Protein backbone atom coordinates (compact mmCIF):
# COMPACT_ATOMS: atom_id res chain seq x y z
CA UNK A 1 0.00 0.00 0.00
CA UNK A 2 2.92 2.35 0.66
CA UNK A 3 4.40 1.71 -2.77
CA UNK A 4 1.03 2.24 -4.44
CA UNK A 5 0.58 5.62 -2.72
CA UNK A 6 4.03 6.71 -3.94
CA UNK A 7 3.46 5.58 -7.54
CA UNK A 8 -0.01 7.10 -7.47
CA UNK A 9 1.62 10.54 -7.13
CA UNK A 10 3.62 10.12 -10.36
CA UNK A 11 2.42 11.69 -13.60
CA UNK A 12 4.51 9.34 -15.74
CA UNK A 13 6.36 6.15 -14.81
CA UNK A 14 9.64 5.11 -16.39
CA UNK A 15 11.59 1.96 -17.11
CA UNK A 16 15.06 3.28 -17.99
CA UNK A 17 16.99 0.06 -18.63
CA UNK A 18 20.37 0.16 -20.37
CA UNK A 19 19.17 -1.35 -23.65
CA UNK A 20 22.70 -1.76 -24.97
CA UNK A 21 22.79 -4.88 -22.77
CA UNK A 22 21.15 -7.87 -24.45
CA UNK A 23 19.93 -9.12 -21.07
CA UNK A 24 17.89 -5.94 -20.60
CA UNK A 25 16.54 -6.01 -24.16
CA UNK A 26 15.11 -9.47 -23.47
CA UNK A 27 13.80 -8.80 -19.96
CA UNK A 28 10.18 -8.81 -18.86
CA UNK A 29 10.04 -6.01 -16.30
CA UNK A 30 7.40 -6.81 -13.69
CA UNK A 31 7.65 -3.17 -12.57
CA UNK A 32 5.41 -2.28 -15.52
CA UNK A 33 2.51 -4.06 -13.82
CA UNK A 34 2.94 -2.03 -10.63
CA UNK A 35 2.72 1.09 -12.79
CA UNK A 36 -0.26 -0.33 -14.68
CA UNK A 37 -2.12 -1.13 -11.47
CA UNK A 38 -1.83 2.57 -10.59
CA UNK A 39 -3.15 3.45 -14.08
CA UNK A 40 -0.09 5.46 -15.10
CA UNK A 41 1.42 6.02 -18.54
CA UNK A 42 4.82 4.37 -18.96
CA UNK A 43 7.90 5.33 -20.94
CA UNK A 44 10.60 2.71 -21.45
CA UNK A 45 13.85 2.19 -23.23
CA UNK A 46 13.62 -0.42 -26.00
CA UNK A 47 12.73 -3.75 -24.39
CA UNK A 48 11.49 -6.30 -26.89
CA UNK A 49 8.56 -7.55 -24.80
CA UNK A 50 7.29 -4.03 -24.03
CA UNK A 51 7.20 -3.34 -27.76
CA UNK A 52 4.77 -6.22 -28.32
CA UNK A 53 1.17 -5.69 -29.40
CA UNK A 54 -0.32 -6.33 -25.96
CA UNK A 55 1.47 -3.24 -24.62
CA UNK A 56 0.57 -1.07 -27.62
CA UNK A 57 -0.74 2.32 -26.54
CA UNK A 58 0.19 1.66 -22.92
CA UNK A 59 3.99 1.84 -23.05
CA UNK A 60 5.83 4.50 -25.00
CA UNK A 61 9.28 3.44 -26.20
CA UNK A 62 12.06 6.03 -26.40
CA UNK A 63 15.35 5.12 -28.06
CA UNK A 64 17.13 8.36 -27.20
CA UNK A 65 16.74 11.53 -25.14
CA UNK A 66 14.84 13.34 -27.91
CA UNK A 67 12.24 10.57 -28.16
CA UNK A 68 11.92 10.46 -24.36
CA UNK A 69 11.38 14.22 -24.27
CA UNK A 70 8.73 13.98 -26.98
CA UNK A 71 6.90 11.26 -25.03
CA UNK A 72 7.14 13.25 -21.79
CA UNK A 73 5.87 16.44 -23.45
CA UNK A 74 2.96 14.53 -24.98
CA UNK A 75 2.00 12.61 -21.85
CA UNK A 76 2.03 15.58 -19.46
CA UNK A 77 -0.30 17.46 -21.79
CA UNK A 78 -2.63 14.46 -22.28
CA UNK A 79 -5.30 13.07 -19.99
CA UNK A 80 -4.71 9.33 -19.69
CA UNK A 81 -7.99 7.74 -20.85
CA UNK A 82 -10.12 5.55 -18.61
CA UNK A 83 -10.19 2.76 -21.21
CA UNK A 84 -6.37 2.56 -21.07
CA UNK A 85 -6.43 2.55 -17.27
CA UNK A 86 -8.94 -0.32 -17.32
CA UNK A 87 -6.73 -2.27 -19.75
CA UNK A 88 -3.69 -1.62 -17.56
CA UNK A 89 -5.39 -2.74 -14.35
CA UNK A 90 -6.67 -5.92 -16.02
CA UNK A 91 -3.18 -6.69 -17.31
CA UNK A 92 -1.71 -6.03 -13.86
CA UNK A 93 -4.21 -8.38 -12.21
CA UNK A 94 -3.51 -11.08 -14.83
CA UNK A 95 0.20 -10.80 -14.06
CA UNK A 96 0.25 -11.02 -10.27
CA UNK A 97 2.84 -13.40 -8.87
CA UNK A 98 0.12 -15.76 -7.64
CA UNK A 99 -1.44 -15.89 -11.13
CA UNK A 100 1.97 -16.49 -12.73
CA UNK A 101 2.74 -19.31 -10.29
CA UNK A 102 -0.69 -20.88 -10.88
CA UNK A 103 -0.11 -20.86 -14.64
CA UNK A 104 3.34 -22.42 -14.20
CA UNK A 105 1.95 -25.11 -11.90
CA UNK A 106 -0.83 -25.88 -14.38
CA UNK A 107 1.78 -26.43 -17.13
CA UNK A 108 3.94 -28.57 -14.87
CA UNK A 109 1.03 -30.90 -14.11
Amino acid sequence: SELFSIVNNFDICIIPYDSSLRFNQLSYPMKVFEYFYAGKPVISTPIIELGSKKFEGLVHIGKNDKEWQNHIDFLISYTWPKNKIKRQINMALDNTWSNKISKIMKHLK
Side-chain angles (χ1 to χ4, degrees), residues 10 26 30 38 40 43 59-60 62 67 72 87 90 93 96:
F10 298 165
L26 299 172
M30 292 297 292
K40 299 297 180 175
I43 303 173
V59 177
H60 297 260
E67 288 184 9
I72 291 168
R87 244 179 88 203
N90 287 336
L93 293 172
T96 63

Side-chain angles (χ1 to χ4, degrees), residues 33 36-37 86-100 103:
F33 298 113
F36 278 8
Y37 190 76
K86 185 176 180 179
R87 244 179 88 203
Q88 288 176 305
I89 292 171
N90 287 336
M91 286 178 74
L93 293 172
D94 284 345
N95 284 277
T96 63
W97 281 110
S98 58
N99 280 348
K100 286 185 171 297
K103 289 175 187 174

Side-chain angles (χ1 to χ4, degrees), residues 68-106:
W68 271 68
Q69 188 62 57
N70 289 340
H71 290 310
I72 291 168
D73 291 343
F74 170 73
L75 291 169
I76 60 173
S77 67
Y78 176 74
T79 301
W80 199 239
K82 289 184 181 181
N83 66 324
K84 287 187 179 188
I85 294 170
K86 185 176 180 179
R87 244 179 88 203
Q88 288 176 305
I89 292 171
N90 287 336
M91 286 178 74
L93 293 172
D94 284 345
N95 284 277
T96 63
W97 281 110
S98 58
N99 280 348
K100 286 185 171 297
I101 291 168
S102 292
K103 289 175 187 174
I104 291 168
M105 296 305 291
K106 188 184 277 186

Side-chain angles (χ1 to χ4, degrees), residues 1-13:
S1 65
E2 189 175 328
L3 178 60
F4 181 78
S5 66
I6 292 169
V7 172
N8 204 35
N9 286 307
F10 298 165
D11 293 319
I12 301 167
C13 295

Side-chain angles (χ1 to χ4, degrees), residues 34-53:
E34 293 172 15
Y35 296 160
F36 278 8
Y37 190 76
K40 299 297 180 175
V42 177
I43 303 173
S44 177
T45 49
I47 296 172
I48 292 168
E49 184 63 28
L50 294 182
S52 70
K53 188 158 182 68

